[in-house]
Amino acid sequence: DAGVIQSPRHEVTEMGQEVTLRCKPISGHDYLFWYRQTMMRGLELLIYFNNNVPIDDSGMPEDRFSAKMPNASFSTLKIQPSEPRDSAVYFCASSPVWRERSGTGELFFGEGSRLTVL
Amino acid sequence: AQSVAQPEDQVNVAEGNPLTVKCTYSVSGNPYLFWYVQYPNRGLQFLLKYITGDNLVKGSYGFEAEFNKSQTSFHLKKPSALVSDSALYFCAVRDIRPGSARQLTFGSGTQLTVLP
């Protein structure tokens, strides 16, 4: 398996523009997570999905952020309009469903999308 | 609510010396604990985990971690550090009880620098 695939790896945009980050989770994984990493705040969970359904979006900073998972193999994180304070590395991660005797528990991360908003 | 604390932002150690990166946790119920490593401009890579059983867990690249329930700690260790171990290390906890949130909660990270 190719692992979690994120695109783009780097994005530079101007304030006010729309940004769309994409993620392809590992096939067969039931959970998908979006994290944001900054120097100031470390790793923050933005939102996560279970079987394509958003479960907890309490970490999404504000209404400018939205995330979708139209099917089991694709998710997007959209920022509209973007602001300089959104500059960060955004990580997507996936994990299989937890099973009491055989669950692994760990998340598998993509390489991240580095966003710079000027 | 679950949480993880990494009390040291930075750990420096000489190559060949043993290293320890500290982590304490807080979670209701049994903890599921993880260590991840992040090299520059890369995603997080899984190192090891504690689910149940032996308190000493062995992982990738010669790393191990000791689960201590009474001290609610899960320190990462390696007997002999390599320069290539220099990276950012994250401790994490996941609550997998039925009905729980299921997300992985990360500590703030510890930058390990191994000096030649």
Side-chain angles (χ1 to χ4, degrees), chain A residues 39-80:
Chain A
M39 289 292 291
M40 292 296 294
R41 301 173 69 91
L43 273 166
E44 303 173 275
L45 177 66
L46 301 178
I47 185 172
Y48 79 96
F49 297 83
N50 180 21
N51 291 325
N52 312 338
V53 176
I55 303 299
D56 184 355
D57 65 353
S58 60
M60 296 285 262
E62 45 196 276
D63 292 345
R64 298 184 296 105
F65 285 69
S66 62
K68 294 182 180 179
M69 192 166 186
N71 57 61
S73 59
F74 185 65
S75 177
T76 60
L77 178 67
K78 186 174 292 187
I79 308 172
Q80 167 63 23

Side-chain angles (χ1 to χ4, degrees), chain B residues 15-103:
Chain B
E15 187 175 28
N17 283 2
L19 69 86
T20 298
V21 183
K22 296 179 181 178
C23 171
T24 58
Y25 67 89
S26 174
V27 64
S28 300
N30 293 325
Y32 285 63
L33 297 159
F34 304 82
W35 276 100
Y36 282 80
V37 59
Q38 185 181 28
Y39 298 100
N41 301 313
R42 302 296 301 277
L44 278 72
Q45 298 178 31
F46 169 74
L47 266 184
L48 52 79
K49 66 185 176 189
Y50 171 82
I51 302 296
T52 187
D54 194 349
N55 290 342
L56 185 64
V57 179
K58 295 189 182 298
S60 306
Y61 312 121
F63 283 93
E64 58 190 25
E66 186 169 10
F67 171 67
N68 188 318
K69 189 172 184 178
S70 62
Q71 297 185 4
T72 62
S73 67
F74 190 57
H75 301 331
L76 182 69
K77 300 181 180 184
K78 187 173 182 180
S80 178
L82 300 173
V83 172
S84 57
D85 293 330
S86 298
L88 187 58
Y89 290 81
F90 290 95
C91 182
V93 62
R94 191 174 188 188
D95 186 354
I96 50 80
R97 294 172 300 157
S100 67
R102 304 296 177 102
Q103 70 263 34

Side-chain angles (χ1 to χ4, degrees), chain A residues 30-45:
Chain A
D30 296 295
Y31 286 88
L32 184 139
F33 304 80
W34 282 101
Y35 284 87
R36 178 172 69 175
Q37 185 179 35
T38 61
M39 289 292 291
M40 292 296 294
R41 301 173 69 91
L43 273 166
E44 303 173 275
L45 177 66

Side-chain angles (χ1 to χ4, degrees), chain A:
Chain A
D1 199 311
V4 176
I5 299 173
Q6 291 187 246
S7 64
R9 288 295 311 278
H10 302 274
E11 174 91 8
V12 180
T13 190
E14 293 186 346
M15 183 174 64
Q17 297 298 306
E18 178 180 293
V19 173
T20 299
L21 308 178
R22 298 173 178 80
C23 175
K24 182 181 188 308
I26 293 173
S27 177
H29 282 191
D30 296 295
Y31 286 88
L32 184 139
F33 304 80
W34 282 101
Y35 284 87
R36 178 172 69 175
Q37 185 179 35
T38 61
M39 289 292 291
M40 292 296 294
R41 301 173 69 91
L43 273 166
E44 303 173 275
L45 177 66
L46 301 178
I47 185 172
Y48 79 96
F49 297 83
N50 180 21
N51 291 325
N52 312 338
V53 176
I55 303 299
D56 184 355
D57 65 353
S58 60
M60 296 285 262
E62 45 196 276
D63 292 345
R64 298 184 296 105
F65 285 69
S66 62
K68 294 182 180 179
M69 192 166 186
N71 57 61
S73 59
F74 185 65
S75 177
T76 60
L77 178 67
K78 186 174 292 187
I79 308 172
Q80 167 63 23
S82 59
E83 297 182 3
R85 61 190 167 128
D86 300 331
S87 297
V89 181
Y90 292 81
F91 287 103
C92 177
S94 69
S95 77
V97 66
W98 172 263
R99 301 192 194 285
E100 185 68 29
R101 290 185 174 80
S102 62
T104 59
E106 66 263 33
L107 273 60
F108 297 80
F109 282 79
E111 293 292 293
S113 295
R114 181 176 295 276
L115 173 64
T116 302
V117 184
L118 304 174

